[in-house]
Amino acid sequence: MSQSNTWVGEKRDTGNPRCFALCLCVSVLSLVFFAGCEAERRKSDAELGLNPQQIAGRHIYDNYCDRCHAPYSARGRQGPSMKGVFQRQFLPMSGMPANDDRVLDIVRLGREKMPGFSQVLNQQQISDLLAYLHTL
């Protein structure tokens, strides 16, 4: 005689079908959402081939710029992405020429919603930041 965990005529509890459906939907939506992310592992300074000035500029970028400007994504945050900023002929929002002089002015003086950093960063830090921006 075999023993069973259920009694004769007793229904086996297979779980709540509504709960299962909800969990399945949440799982599928989570997969779709995270598959669309551009999340990548952050590359090291060495992997990017940065020189000491560019490394210093990257640290400044991380501390002051990254909260509003995505460095490697084509998708911006509050401000436009900095990906390829010097590879374009014009800056994305202002239409000004994409050169050191214009970007230097924007960093120092600010523009529209962006604050100026002339009171926060010294000239060497701004030069380091520009060197890093050229690597994006």
Side-chain angles (χ1 to χ4, degrees):
M1 216 154 118
S2 69
Q3 244 182 339
S4 173
N5 291 338
T6 60
W7 294 88
V8 177
E10 180 184 1
K11 279 192 170 182
R12 188 166 214 181
D13 184 18
T14 57
N16 185 341
R18 293 169 105 187
C19 183
F20 175 77
L22 178 64
C23 289
L24 182 63
C25 287
V26 168
S27 297
V28 169
L29 288 174
S30 295
L31 285 174
V32 169
F33 175 77
F34 288 116
C37 289
E38 293 182 16
E40 281 184 39
R41 181 185 66 80
R42 179 179 161 100
K43 292 183 179 179
S44 70
D45 297 337
E47 288 174 309
L48 294 172
L50 301 180
N51 65 36
Q53 182 182 23
Q54 294 163 339
I55 291 169
R58 187 181 196 195
H59 292 293
I60 292 163
Y61 189 94
D62 289 344
N63 290 328
Y64 297 99
C65 310
D66 187 57
R67 65 186 68 134
C68 295
H69 301 279
Y72 295 104
S73 170
R75 195 174 15 201
R77 295 188 181 132
Q78 257 184 315
S81 170
M82 294 292 103
K83 182 178 182 179
V85 68
F86 285 111
Q87 296 168 2
R88 304 179 195 127
Q89 187 175 3
F90 299 103
L91 297 173
M93 297 196 70
S94 67
M96 293 191 296
N99 60 40
D100 284 356
D101 291 335
R102 294 297 72 78
V103 173
L104 178 67
D105 287 344
I106 292 171
V107 170
R108 283 187 15 239
L109 306 172
R111 187 163 189 342
E112 295 178 18
K113 295 180 183 178
M114 181 180 154
F117 288 89
S118 63
Q119 302 298 313
V120 178
L121 302 174
N122 63 39
Q123 186 55 46
Q124 182 60 55
Q125 290 172 312
I126 293 173
S127 295
D128 294 346
L129 177 61
L130 284 176
Y132 174 65
L133 289 176
H134 277 281
T135 70
L136 300 178

